Amino acid sequence: MSLFQPEPRGSRNRRQDDDPREPGREWPPREQPGFEPEPGFGPPGGDPAGGGPYGGAPYGGGPYGGAPAGQRQAPPAADPYEHTRPIYQHPDELPPGPYPARGLPVRRGPARPELPPGRPELPPAAGQLPSRADPPGQAYPPQPPYQAQANPAATHPADHGGPPALPPRRYAAPQVPAAHLFEPAPARPRPDDSRLPARRDDAFADGSSRQFSVPARARRSRESTTRIALIYPELLGTYGDGGNAIVLAQRLRWRGMAAEVVSVPAGEPVPASCDIYLLGGGEDEPQTLAAEGLLRNNAITRAVDSGAAVLAVCAGYQVIGATFPAGGKIYDGLGLIGVETRRSFDPPEAPLPPRVVGDIVLDPDPSLRLPTVLGYENHGGRTRPLPEARGVPFGKVRLGLGNGIQDGTDGMVHGTVLGTYLHGPLLAQNPAVADLLLSWVHGELPPLPGPPEVDALRAARLRALEIA
Ligand SMILES: NC(=O)CC[C@H](N)C(=O)O
């Protein structure tokens, strides 16, 4: 049958047959006698290491109950969604507060003048490239005409002039042949201090080694528009992590501050002038394309050097580290934080499930002064600090896997850079983490509790996970 022929009425594949909204249809459905889930594609709670196209039950082990793959699912409770009710309140019924637009006045930045039509011109040998997001009026050197191409990496302007010289990476890829990664690791000499990355602590108010106090030179005044760069959403946007940009912008606006989300499509140069850079999760191959694009102008590293903050989730976390695996090879990351990622490390870290999918809960590092952090994870990579790494883990894993190494941690925080395995989107479920990032850019901000829907969601999730 041709793919394009209409399906016959009553076909098993017709989605309408399963539409719970069909009149007279019971929802949630009763247990169906004889129902056996397919192995590897089982009901919630299935084996996270199991088969399935994504390495296991995609909704496995969560707060929504469910039986292990291969076992019959328990009959649903009378109303399994009871505990989520409060978060679906109609906006008109919400308690008054500075949350919706009708609360605090929204202050917008000055209108941006129209850019001249067409793309800016670039030099034949491009070094530090201007970006379409940089202020207009800048003199753009000549550039060949823009040509859309299928391969996003190939459209990068640096392709027209050869790769620019890169600044030195903080954490270089260790010179270990890939085959060694699955054998006992050779003892690695600790580099002498002169080779260590520059101390970042001197950016902080009291010059102490507390890395998480407010930076002395908060990069932005409260009056200027905070620019939030969403990096390569087509490549690093598989898991809804773009929501982190919305949360950051909204929490600024609720405080009467102006915010702008600058979406940087793959193939475009990354502006170095943003205040916060967000990198989300992605599949292995898009992840390699993202790393390639980011290494071309290293704008994020330059921005971090002048005080910008970075939140990198999962694939993004792996990409800002020293190295990561994809398709049987090891790729260079940005070296912004001192971690390396592999499919597995030597014992005692291995063996571990090939992929971890499910809820994750962290007790954040005490220096961050954050409440419990909630999210979900879906990754095959395992991440560990390099011997010379500075910074602290984002948190201790209370539920889930995180970095997947023996110390039971997730993520890494160093200066104004936060890498973690937590999707969610992270900031939607953990507004305190959003405010931590904002404080790195703006200094201490007025407290902003809630919103109440998020408090209700957090409470419901913690109850469902039997943590609260
Ligand atoms: N969720 C993700 O971003 C996945 C990251 C990476 N491709 C891994 O599987 O480890």
Side-chain angles (χ1 to χ4, degrees):
M1 187 199 288
S2 151
L3 275 180
F4 301 103
Q5 271 168 8
E7 291 182 56
R9 283 182 69 80
S11 150
R12 284 188 63 230
N13 295 330
R14 274 164 55 93
R15 270 291 153 90
Q16 298 92 306
D17 293 349
D18 296 327
D19 189 347
R21 294 162 300 181
E22 215 173 72
R25 201 180 163 93
E26 203 177 2
W27 187 259
R30 286 194 195 176
E31 185 191 20
Q32 292 176 16
F35 170 73
E36 292 294 342
E38 287 175 42
F41 205 77
D47 173 15
Y54 306 107
Y59 315 109
Y64 310 110
Q71 286 178 28
R72 181 177 295 187
Q73 194 167 11
D79 181 357
Y81 305 110
E82 175 72 44
H83 63 282
T84 66
R85 280 255 171 78
I87 65 170
Y88 295 121
Q89 245 170 331
H90 189 278
D92 288 346
E93 293 163 14
L94 289 176
Y99 313 109
R102 63 177 180 270
L104 285 178
V106 177
R107 199 189 306 164
R108 299 190 192 284
R112 283 154 59 84
E114 286 291 306
L115 284 173
R119 285 169 55 91
E121 303 287 293
L122 291 181
Q128 308 296 314
L129 299 178
S131 137
R132 92 193 150 77
D134 279 341
Q138 186 166 339
Y140 292 116
Q143 181 208 11
Y146 175 69
Q147 274 190 323
Q149 291 177 27
N151 177 355
T155 65
H156 194 284
D159 284 342
H160 304 298
L166 297 181
R169 285 148 40 92
R170 292 204 179 97
Y171 293 99
Q175 298 303 307
V176 183
H180 275 237
L181 297 167
F182 302 95
E183 293 164 10
R188 231 186 256 156
R190 278 189 74 84
D192 64 46
D193 256 13
S194 60
R195 284 184 47 215
L196 285 177
R199 283 175 59 92
R200 299 194 48 73
D201 302 358
D202 52 9
F204 291 89
D206 54 10
S208 75
S209 60
R210 288 188 306 114
Q211 297 184 35
F212 310 107
S213 51
V214 174
R217 292 176 287 114
R219 176 182 161 90
R220 277 281 166 192
S221 83
R222 307 251 166 112
E223 283 65 43
S224 60
T225 301
T226 304
R227 302 179 77 218
I228 301 159
L230 188 55
I231 301 298
Y232 302 164
E234 323 84 322
L235 302 177
L236 301 176
T238 320
Y239 300 86
D241 299 312
N244 289 329
I246 300 169
V247 175
L248 286 168
Q250 193 58 31
R251 290 190 74 75
L252 285 166
R253 288 171 187 151
W254 281 337
R255 290 177 165 104
M257 297 161 75
E260 180 188 10
V261 176
V262 178
S263 185
V264 183
E268 293 281 330
V270 176
S273 54
C274 290
D275 303 294
I276 304 180
Y277 291 81
L278 301 176
L279 293 84
E283 313 299 340
D284 286 4
E285 198 184 340
Q287 182 177 337
T288 63
L289 293 176
E292 189 191 329
L294 292 172
L295 280 168
R296 293 196 179 191
N297 70 355
N298 244 13
I300 299 183
T301 308
R302 284 182 281 127
V304 167
D305 284 340
S306 61
V310 174
L311 169 62
V313 173
C314 204
Y317 170 39
Q318 298 177 4
V319 164
I320 65 164
T323 51
F324 65 89
K329 294 194 197 140
I330 304 298
Y331 289 81
D332 276 355
L334 302 191
L336 264 182
I337 49 172
V339 295
E340 59 181 353
T341 300
R342 296 291 179 270
R343 287 279 167 251
S344 128
F345 292 113
D346 311 312
E349 319 290 7
L352 283 166
R355 189 164 195 92
V356 61
V357 184
D359 292 287
I360 176 164
V361 178
L362 306 183
D363 290 324
D365 189 88
S367 61
L368 303 173
R369 290 184 233 108
L370 291 170
T372 305
V373 173
L374 304 172
Y376 79 90
E377 59 183 331
N378 180 352
H379 54 103
R382 306 287 178 259
T383 302
R384 71 178 173 193
L386 292 170
E388 71 269 32
R390 299 173 50 76
V392 294
F394 184 30
K396 280 261 179 205
V397 175
R398 209 193 295 187
L399 178 81
L401 188 72
N403 287 333
I405 56 172
Q406 268 242 316
D407 66 0
T409 58
D410 171 78
M412 161 81 90
V413 184
H414 186 196
T416 55
V417 180
L418 162 51
T420 175
Y421 272 114
L422 271 69
H423 302 286
L426 173 71
L427 303 184
Q429 288 196 66
N430 304 282
V433 180
D435 286 354
L436 176 72
L437 289 164
L438 294 175
S439 77
W440 288 346
V441 172
H442 282 289
E444 215 65 64
L445 289 171
L448 181 69
E453 307 94 312
V454 174
D455 292 341
L457 171 70
R458 286 176 55 85
R461 301 275 293 145
L462 286 167
R463 264 202 316 277
L465 298 170
E466 293 177 357
I467 284 180

